Amino acid sequence: MNTDDHWQIHRLLAQNTDERLQLLRRTPQQIILVGADADESRRLLAARYPKAVFSEYDPRADALATAAEARQTGLWQKLTGKAVIQYQQAPTDPLPAAQADMLWSNLGMIHGKDPIPVLENWANALKTDGLLFFTHFGVDTLVELRGRLNAQGIGVEAPMLFDMHDLGDMLFHHGFYDPVMDTAKLELSYRKAETFWLDMETLGLWSSLVFEDPATAHDAINDWFATDKQLTITLETVYGHAVKKQILPQGESPVQFYPKKPA
């Protein structure tokens, strides 16, 4: 893997998710981006929805700066003069309520500590029947690495990696309906520790893990590179989309009227 192109996983996931929009009939006007990805997602969405207005949220100042820099040289901004307003905030910090037609998150959930508040925040930001499209990492991500660490007595847990069916259930119970989930696996082989650590930082994976002794885990991985001269990992990528539920005040329910059938 090229250390100068460490956003390529984000690019792949953004492209795969964008392909799912081909049959979408609605045209979103307000799009919230959760998770800056070097402008990969915004670039694709702007090409598909040229009139859309974007805002971008990420807890990482450097990721926001990278996305903003990418847009400075982009043809889209030069032609339209549009700027993307950015906000540095945690995934659970409140988003503008009921303003977005679409919320798009390319690996944005991994920076949270608990998926439920993140999903509820996303649901709150969407208008009724607003669209959610997101990518995340599945439960088999880094399974070899975690197993090897555990075998050496280095405890590691992955509280933000989920089975796709569990994610679908979370969506259904926390503000969305008609969740659709699918998954794929990528196998990556690294020959340099520096490249591996750069990807772990960019993807947000290392910081999502919980270690009994983070320094010992870090040193163990560097020792593997020194001994084996390479490290192979699995990324289970999860793709999901869903629709924002209508939220009614407590005690109220929707009333539907149907045309009277002919006698």
Side-chain angles (χ1 to χ4, degrees):
M1 296 181 68
N2 188 338
T3 56
D4 294 329
D5 194 19
H6 55 281
W7 294 94
Q8 59 183 308
I9 300 300
H10 287 82
R11 181 181 306 117
L12 173 66
L13 301 190
Q15 291 171 344
N16 290 344
T17 307
D18 178 70
E19 292 176 358
R20 290 158 166 77
L21 300 178
Q22 294 181 10
L23 299 179
L24 188 65
R25 295 184 178 181
R26 282 187 278 171
T27 302
Q29 300 299 315
Q30 298 283 340
I31 300 178
I32 288 178
L33 304 171
V34 176
D37 61 359
D39 205 40
E40 297 294 344
S41 292
R42 199 281 318 163
R43 178 180 55 81
L44 292 168
L45 290 167
R48 190 176 292 277
Y49 308 118
K51 295 183 179 180
V53 176
F54 296 87
S55 55
E56 187 171 51
Y57 297 78
D58 197 291
R60 304 165 297 170
D62 56 343
L64 290 169
T66 297
E69 183 179 358
R71 284 190 276 272
Q72 293 300 320
T73 58
L75 179 62
W76 173 81
Q77 186 158 317
K78 291 181 179 179
L79 291 177
T80 65
K82 292 182 179 179
V84 177
I85 300 176
Q86 295 182 319
Y87 302 88
Q88 184 183 353
Q89 64 178 57
T92 52
D93 290 344
L95 297 166
Q99 289 193 12
D101 305 298
M102 175 184 287
L103 190 149
W104 176 286
S105 179
N106 190 14
L107 301 181
M109 187 190 294
I110 196 67
H111 303 294
K113 301 300 181 184
D114 182 345
I116 302 306
V118 176
L119 294 178
E120 291 177 345
N121 195 23
W122 292 357
N124 187 58
L126 285 165
K127 301 174 183 177
T128 297
D129 292 330
L131 303 168
L132 169 66
F133 284 83
F134 75 100
T135 63
H136 190 57
F137 290 115
V139 69
D140 285 339
T141 294
L142 301 181
V143 63
E144 309 96 335
L145 182 148
R146 291 185 282 134
R148 191 170 175 180
L149 287 171
N150 284 323
Q152 290 187 209
I154 303 172
V156 54
E157 297 181 357
M160 287 300 292
L161 303 181
F162 310 106
D163 177 85
M164 70 171 181
H165 300 100
D166 292 337
L167 267 178
D169 289 341
M170 293 178 203
L171 287 166
F172 182 78
H173 292 292
H174 295 279
F176 296 93
Y177 68 92
D178 287 350
V180 177
M181 312 295 298
D182 62 277
T183 185
K185 288 186 178 180
L186 299 172
E187 186 176 276
L188 307 179
S189 292
Y190 294 88
R191 296 185 180 276
K192 294 182 179 180
E194 294 82 0
T195 310
F196 169 79
W197 290 120
L198 182 58
D199 276 0
M200 289 300 98
E201 180 182 359
T202 303
L203 296 172
L205 273 172
W206 187 257
S207 60
S208 76
L209 302 177
V210 178
F211 298 93
E212 293 179 0
D213 188 338
T216 300
H218 191 280
D219 290 344
I221 292 174
N222 285 338
D223 289 343
W224 299 345
F225 275 103
T227 302
D228 302 337
K229 307 303 181 184
Q230 69 172 14
L231 177 65
T232 298
I233 64 170
T234 295
L235 299 182
E236 182 186 11
T237 56
V238 176
Y239 301 86
H241 63 267
V243 186
K244 163 70 177 291
K245 288 180 182 177
Q246 181 182 16
I247 306 298
L248 296 173
Q250 188 173 3
E252 295 187 12
S253 59
V255 177
Q256 295 178 307
F257 296 90
Y258 298 94
K260 185 177 180 180
K261 293 183 180 180

